[in-house]
Amino acid sequence: MEIIRHKSELEIALNIERGKNHSIGFVPTMGALHLGHLSLIEQSKKYCSVTICSIFVNPTQFNDPKDLERYPRPIEKDIALLEHAGCDILFLPEVNEMYTTDESWKINLGYLETVLEGAQRPGHFQGVTQIVKKLFDAVKPDKAFFGQKDYQQVMVVKELVRQYAMPVQIIACPIVRERDGLAMSSRNIHLSIEERKAAGLLSKALQLVQERYKKDSSSIEAASGLLKTNPLIQMEYLTVCDADTLQPINQSTQSAVALLAARVGVTRLIDNMLLD
Ligand code: AMP
């Protein structure tokens, strides 16, 4: 695997691949890789001739400086995992490679930025779109692979691509879970043993909504009740929305998704499940 730290070198390496008519698959990450990330690499390898992964802990998407500071950065382990997964190129830029000091451009995400993660983490999706735009401009991938784990993020990235008419196909991949159902996340390593046990309840709550939603109007209350049984869990939201728009459910809703965010101890986790 080639490790590239500068956009100029990346352009040279990728132009060589394009010259051979090779398709480029891209997996943007913030590192601390787990099987969820590696499933995206696997998908990219399946559909594209060359797979490039980026590791960049993007400062502009953290609205809590403490969260940014304590974000895990096990780079040597990540490199070994990517080598083993057969990734072709790792793009590993420093912050000053990606940002100038006076950057303040924004994109109008409309409704998408006013709900759920947008409402709970002001500015988060502006940071996400800034870095994804910069990475897409640098990599110019044919396909980019994102996890359904960050459900709203996939919608935001699709909106970015639509507004800038970027020639990239966004592919959403299924959530990879631990044995007890907990969605894999780089933040899970912050959980104590007790918190880790408690965190298993998050996916149980979503499962409960999934099983009962169609026949029982109180399924969300029941799932919230389940989360409240553990004092280590503090729910931020648990809701069902239109899966295509994240608008409240109405008569024209074709498919629905249950989404939740909760703190387990001080660690903030998100998860979701499609209901159809
Ligand atoms: P992150 O490093 O957290 O920014 O995540 C990088 C990519 O991996 C994003 O597209 C995430 O949605 C995806 N991802 C994170 N966790 C999982 C998971 N458990 N299953 C599938 N994809 C995931």
Side-chain angles (χ1 to χ4, degrees), residues 28-31 34 36-37 40 71 146-147 149-150 153 174-176 183-184:
T29 81
M30 297 205 298
H34 49 66
H37 298 111
L40 305 182
Y71 202 83
F146 288 82
K149 155 95 180 357
D150 297 277
Q153 173 171 278
I175 302 175
V176 177
M184 289 191 181

Side-chain angles (χ1 to χ4, degrees), residues 7 23 39 57 85 115 131 133 143 145 170 175 184 247 249:
K7 286 184 277 187
S23 57
S39 74
V57 182
V115 290
I131 194 59
K133 166 92 170 57
K143 298 185 200 303
F145 299 82
I170 304 302
I175 302 175
M184 289 191 181
Q247 295 275 356
I249 300 295

Side-chain angles (χ1 to χ4, degrees), residues 26 35 67 82 130 145 194 197 199 223 240 260-262 270:
F26 181 39
L35 292 175
D67 191 22
L82 288 174
Q130 275 186 358
F145 299 82
E194 282 308 303
K197 265 192 221 153
V240 174
L260 87 73
I270 58 171

Side-chain angles (χ1 to χ4, degrees), residues 109-160:
L109 292 166
Y111 173 77
L112 262 185
E113 207 179 356
T114 66
V115 290
L116 308 169
E117 292 304 285
Q120 296 292 325
R121 304 182 66 189
H124 169 66
F125 286 130
Q126 291 301 328
V128 169
T129 48
Q130 275 186 358
I131 194 59
V132 172
K133 166 92 170 57
K134 285 164 180 290
L135 289 168
F136 281 3
D137 286 346
V139 177
K140 300 184 190 70
D142 296 288
K143 298 185 200 303
F145 299 82
F146 288 82
Q148 188 208 307
K149 155 95 180 357
D150 297 277
Y151 194 91
Q152 196 172 0
Q153 173 171 278
V154 175
M155 297 180 76
V156 162
V157 170
K158 285 186 175 165
E159 180 58 16
L160 169 80

